[in-house]
């Protein structure tokens, strides 16, 4: 992979206020990915491809990442970025709304990374669980949403997102098949491991 190009992609995204994974969140995920060496990763929320490109380093040989993005301009830029870095064999982008695309997928994934519309996290969880391998891991970024999720913050614009993020946390915490930890890295990261049955 061309690391210099990757650094340029990151700088451009930050300059243009495109929300990409924070360094400390990525660092935590990398620790899991190094040992897991996933064959298949599903990402919900590609943006310009930054996190997906970073994840390719940890894939097993012949491993693949499927990633979903609904913003056409971002899809275009992500495709260019993926090519520039030289990982186009390893990333497939589904173009469209994950709410419509996820139910059409029927793969098995080692790792799912949820990083899209916060109001849809419970739905993304349900679909991710359906496709998760029996030793799989689900990461959900922005789970603490600037601290709103753990406070009594109730501002109208964010209310639906906060309610759905809380529902996500409740579901992963109460699901007997999952072991979950919530970390205060970046904007909050939920890590849910499937328990061996
Ligand atoms: C936080 S960004 C993703 C950042 C990327 N994972 C990274 O770290 O480089 C979230 C992206 O999800 C996309 N998105 C939000 N809701 C979506 C949905 N329902 N379906 C598909 N994409 C969605 C947005 O357009 C945005 O580009």
């Amino acid at each position: 992979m061309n690391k210099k190009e990757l650094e340029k992609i990151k700088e451009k995204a930050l300059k243009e206020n495109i929300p990409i994974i924070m360094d400390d969140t990525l660092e935590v995920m990398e620790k899991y990915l190094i040992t897991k060496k996933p064959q298949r990763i599903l990402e919900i929320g590609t943006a310009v491809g930054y996190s997906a490109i970073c994840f390719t380093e940890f894939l097993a040989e012949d491993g693949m990442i499927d990633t979903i993005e609904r913003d056409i301009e971002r899809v275009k830029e992500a495709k260019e970025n993926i090519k520039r870095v030289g990982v186009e064999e390893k990333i497939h982008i589904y173009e469209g709304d994950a709410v419509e695309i996820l139910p059409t997928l029927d793969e098995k994934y080692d790792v799912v990374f949820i990083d899209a519309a916060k109001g849809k996290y419970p739905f993304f969880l349900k679909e991710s669980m359906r496709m998760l391998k029996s030793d799989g891991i689900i990461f959900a970024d922005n789970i603490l949403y600037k601290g709103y999720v753990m406070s009594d913050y109730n501002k109208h614009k964010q209310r639906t997102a906060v309610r759905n993020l809380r529902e996500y946390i409740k579901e992963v915490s109460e699901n007997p098949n999952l072991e979950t930890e919530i970390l205060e890295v970046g904007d909050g990261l939920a890590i849910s491991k499937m328990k061996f049955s």
Side-chain angles (χ1 to χ4, degrees):
M1 157 182 342
N2 187 331
K3 289 263 169 105
K4 264 194 187 155
E5 288 300 326
L6 181 62
E7 202 50 40
K8 284 187 205 161
I9 290 163
K10 179 183 174 185
E11 276 166 26
K12 182 170 182 282
L14 292 174
K15 209 164 112 197
E16 294 175 358
N17 287 322
I18 291 167
I20 57 168
I21 191 166
M22 291 186 193
D23 289 341
D24 51 357
T25 308
L26 184 61
E27 235 171 75
V28 171
M29 287 186 66
E30 282 177 355
K31 283 190 188 133
Y32 286 85
L33 297 177
I34 280 174
T35 46
K36 192 145 191 68
K37 278 232 152 277
Q39 187 66 41
R40 301 284 303 239
I41 298 179
L42 172 65
E43 176 181 70
I44 309 171
T46 319
V48 293
Y50 176 72
S51 52
I53 293 169
C54 293
F55 298 156
T56 59
E57 249 198 297
F58 304 98
L59 286 171
E61 216 180 311
D62 301 328
M64 272 295 296
I65 300 174
D66 289 331
T67 180
I68 310 174
E69 175 58 54
R70 68 178 172 193
D71 181 316
I72 296 167
E73 286 306 311
R74 289 192 178 165
V75 169
K76 195 167 158 259
E77 194 170 336
K79 282 184 179 168
E80 287 164 8
N81 288 340
I82 289 163
K83 212 165 172 197
R84 262 169 71 193
V85 177
V87 291
E88 61 268 45
E89 312 277 90
K90 295 174 190 265
I91 301 176
H92 173 74
I93 304 181
Y94 286 96
E95 303 174 31
D97 196 315
V99 173
E100 285 159 28
I101 290 171
L102 284 167
T104 70
L105 303 183
D106 198 14
E107 303 288 341
K108 284 287 171 201
Y109 293 99
D110 304 282
V111 170
V112 180
F113 180 44
I114 301 176
D115 193 19
K118 297 172 190 70
K120 296 289 182 311
Y121 270 35
F123 177 76
F124 295 156
L125 175 66
K126 194 177 87 187
E127 287 297 305
S128 303
M129 287 293 288
R130 180 176 63 78
M131 294 186 278
L132 197 65
K133 288 189 188 167
S134 59
D135 59 348
I137 308 182
I138 303 174
F139 296 91
D141 201 4
N142 307 107
I143 201 72
L144 297 177
Y145 195 15
K146 300 175 187 165
Y148 301 153
V149 170
M150 293 302 181
S151 73
D152 53 9
Y153 187 88
N154 216 11
K155 209 169 159 182
H156 182 71
K157 211 174 140 220
Q158 281 90 9
R159 203 186 292 155
T160 311
V162 169
R163 182 168 29 84
N164 282 288
L165 291 172
R166 284 180 185 150
E167 189 183 326
Y168 182 98
I169 292 173
K170 188 172 184 290
E171 283 181 18
V172 289
S173 306
E174 290 178 359
N175 189 321
N177 298 317
L178 294 175
E179 201 174 87
T180 295
E181 49 180 339
I182 311 281
L183 303 185
E184 286 181 32
V185 286
D187 199 18
L189 180 70
I191 306 171
S192 303
K193 282 192 217 167
M194 197 78 145
K195 284 186 199 164
F196 288 98
S197 46

